[in-house]
Amino acid sequence: MASFVDDSAQVRQPLLQQEARTYNGTTTTTVTTTTLTRSETQNATIATVDLSFDKGDPSDNPMEWPDSFKWGIVLLLSMMAFVTTFTCISVVPLAGVIVDDLTPPPSLPAAAVVAADFTQQTTVAASHVLLVTIWELGEAAGPLLIAPLSELHGRYVVMNAANMLLIAATVLAATSTTVPQFVTARALTGLAVACNVLNPAIVGDIFPPEERGGAVSLVFLAPLIGGAIAPGIATMIADRFGSWRAVVWLAIALATTCELLFLTYFRETYKLAILRKKVVAAAAAAAEIDDNKQVVIKAVVDGEESDEPVLVSTGSELRKLRDAVLRPALVLCGSGVLMALSLLGSVAFTYFYIMSVTLPNVLQERYGLSSVATGWCFISFTLGSAISVFICNNSLDKIYIRMRDASKDGVGLPEYRLPLGVVGALCTPVAIAMYGWSAELELPLPFLLLSVLIMGTTVMLTVIPLMAYVVDAFGLYSASAMTGIIVTRCLMSTFLPLTTGPLIDNFGYGWGFSVFAAFSFCLAPISILILRYGAKWRQFSKYSREQ
């Protein structure tokens, strides 16, 4: 507890601001101090408020809500995750159709037609790719803004506001008349994706650690299902109604239905947002007693009154938002290990978008498939990803325990999460080259789809162990480290696929994708070196240094 020191200098008493963070399923409280002079304290109106939930009263405490209500929230979160993924992926096989529909023919003299056609073809190809990948650029802002805003204002307000922005941006996409307008709408839609960031946090708000497994699995299963069936459904609807806009309006209808359910069924789950109402109420009551004095809150937590007063300050919210936005960049730039892994994981994940912008042309131009059949072929990548998830769920912890038990001191290290990542990093170049040469040589269609499936497996086999490593290695900074990786991944996924057009035009599918394979092969040693030397290299960063 704080105490006063009586000396000739001006005596100041700490004021506490509490911020809850969750690490490994445990909620901890980070306390930062500002100061208030003794005279300011003496002239203040003191209000006491209980900052703990009433035991046995489920009305406020999300952990004590009925199981049926909590699982209803999980189902609602899963529905929104499905709709978000459907909105993102459904336009992928239709990107070429959308760009062609929104691109007006050039009105030039006959002498300039040839040059104009070449320029327009290049522009259309770039627009086709950017239309698919720009979503990731918008989504890069999600972890930076949505997560800290939810800590300041609660999950309910931020989730509903983001969902409404997503619906509005999707309406803008459905009514677009030009490619730039559609691309802008897609970027805004990606910016409004809140479920990817908040769903795990909301599950943590309402379930104790030992009960979260099933809920987390359901929440993460929904996007996989959405990604698997969205291309097939989208191409069927576009073929049936003769317009890609029907697909976008379907996404709007689904998102609007989910948002209506959120407005009527969802409740605030963030503990500090719920308890903050008590602080505001106490401050308002104290201000009414004596509006000439500053209001200071004394907190009662779990039945014990704190000796230190709590100052409610709106200025601190802006500082916390600023710090939350800047912290991921500081952690990322402050760790060479994290920067290297971020590069490896970002490039690996980008191959999903590289596959997405090339597979429709390959299937329709070289194999003669219809647009509907092309859409259903995307399920190959999802099946590969599901295989990788199954492998990691069954092997990641077993490998960690086996390596820990085999070590001299019997202590587990984060590096023990990486063996599967090494396998994925080494196999990804093979899958990339296999995909490119299958398209170049027009090998049998099952062989091409097998290469897509293997690509999905190796990509996720690279990324999942990497994420597990970051959580273990960066401890209290794991959220910021993960945010740094996600932002890097989104930026890489937005711009690296733009190189596919020039590579294929100049070298063909075979040698063009061999360039990607060579690039990935050069990055593969990163996981091997960190597995071998990461325990030492981590000590050079204060964010991953072992205490």
Side-chain angles (χ1 to χ4, degrees), residues 260-531:
L260 291 175
L261 292 174
F262 265 100
L263 289 172
T264 56
Y265 188 84
F266 187 63
R267 292 173 56 186
E268 181 58 62
T269 65
Y270 188 46
K271 178 178 181 179
L272 291 188
I274 298 172
L275 296 178
R276 192 178 293 123
K277 296 178 181 178
K278 292 187 176 183
V279 177
V280 174
E288 290 179 1
I289 296 174
D290 191 345
D291 56 8
N292 293 323
K293 293 183 179 181
Q294 183 177 6
V295 177
V296 175
I297 306 298
K298 296 192 72 174
V300 177
V301 182
D302 295 332
E304 297 184 2
E305 182 173 319
S306 172
D307 290 338
E308 293 107 345
V310 178
L311 179 64
V312 182
S313 173
T314 56
S316 65
E317 295 185 353
L318 296 177
R319 287 196 299 272
K320 285 193 287 185
L321 179 60
R322 179 201 62 193
D323 293 343
V325 171
L326 295 179
R327 191 181 302 116
L330 296 176
V331 175
L332 180 64
C333 296
S335 171
V337 170
L338 185 61
M339 285 191 287
L341 288 176
S342 177
L343 177 61
L344 174 65
S346 299
V347 172
F349 189 84
T350 300
Y351 288 126
F352 166 72
Y353 286 98
I354 291 176
M355 179 276 300
S356 297
V357 299
T358 56
L359 186 61
N361 289 338
V362 171
L363 293 176
Q364 294 177 20
E365 295 178 2
R366 300 200 170 217
Y367 290 86
L369 268 63
S370 66
S371 59
V372 175
T374 298
W376 288 111
C377 287
F378 276 82
I379 200 172
S380 299
F381 191 94
T382 303
L383 290 176
S385 300
I387 291 173
S388 185
V389 171
F390 177 82
I391 293 173
C392 290
N393 284 344
N394 285 276
S395 304
L396 207 57
D397 290 337
K398 294 179 181 178
I399 293 173
Y400 178 88
I401 294 171
R402 184 174 299 176
M403 295 185 69
R404 181 198 64 190
D405 295 342
S407 64
K408 295 180 180 180
D409 53 7
V411 177
L413 295 175
E415 286 70 28
Y416 298 162
R417 299 288 188 186
L418 292 177
L420 285 178
V422 172
V423 175
L426 291 174
C427 293
T428 297
V430 178
I432 298 300
M434 180 179 173
Y435 172 74
W437 284 106
S438 297
E440 180 69 26
L441 301 176
E442 298 185 22
L443 298 179
L445 181 60
F447 195 84
L448 175 69
L449 297 181
L450 176 63
S451 69
V452 175
L453 185 146
I454 295 175
M455 190 189 306
T457 303
T458 58
V459 165
M460 297 306 295
L461 206 59
T462 303
V463 172
I464 294 175
L466 185 153
M467 297 297 187
Y469 172 83
V470 170
V471 171
D472 287 357
F474 286 83
L476 294 175
Y477 298 98
S478 61
S480 295
M482 290 287 290
T483 300
I485 287 181
I486 291 173
V487 172
T488 306
R489 182 204 75 189
C490 291
L491 294 175
M492 187 72 72
S493 298
T494 300
F495 298 109
L496 184 60
L498 292 173
T499 63
T500 56
L503 283 174
I504 293 172
D505 291 340
N506 289 284
F507 303 107
Y509 285 100
W511 290 112
F513 275 85
S514 294
V515 173
F516 286 127
F519 183 39
S520 292
F521 187 77
C522 292
L523 297 179
I526 290 176
S527 57
I528 300 174
L529 292 173
I530 293 178
L531 174 62

Side-chain angles (χ1 to χ4, degrees), residues 180-202:
Q181 186 179 359
F182 191 92
V183 170
T184 301
R186 288 275 292 175
L188 290 175
T189 308
L191 174 65
V193 174
C195 59
N196 292 348
V197 180
L198 295 185
N199 280 5
I202 293 172

Side-chain angles (χ1 to χ4, degrees), residues 87-137:
T87 305
C88 172
I89 304 298
S90 59
V91 303
V92 170
L94 303 173
V97 176
I98 296 173
V99 172
D100 291 341
D101 183 49
L102 298 180
T103 303
S107 55
L108 295 173
V113 169
V114 176
D117 284 345
F118 177 78
T119 302
Q120 185 175 16
Q121 288 176 4
T122 304
T123 303
V124 167
S127 300
H128 175 192
V129 175
L130 195 60
L131 185 147
V132 173
T133 63
I134 196 66
W135 176 286
E136 288 288 331
L137 182 62

Side-chain angles (χ1 to χ4, degrees), residues 174-255:
T175 56
S176 296
T177 56
T178 64
V179 173
Q181 186 179 359
F182 191 92
V183 170
T184 301
R186 288 275 292 175
L188 290 175
T189 308
L191 174 65
V193 174
C195 59
N196 292 348
V197 180
L198 295 185
N199 280 5
I202 293 172
V203 170
D205 291 341
I206 62 179
F207 287 100
E210 63 274 11
E211 298 179 9
R212 292 173 187 164
V216 170
S217 298
L218 183 59
V219 166
F220 281 102
L221 179 63
L224 285 177
I225 298 175
I229 68 175
I233 293 177
T235 50
M236 288 177 60
I237 292 175
D239 185 67
R240 171 66 177 81
F241 291 94
S243 173
W244 56 268
R245 297 182 192 272
V247 178
V248 184
W249 283 113
L250 174 62
I252 294 169
L254 293 174

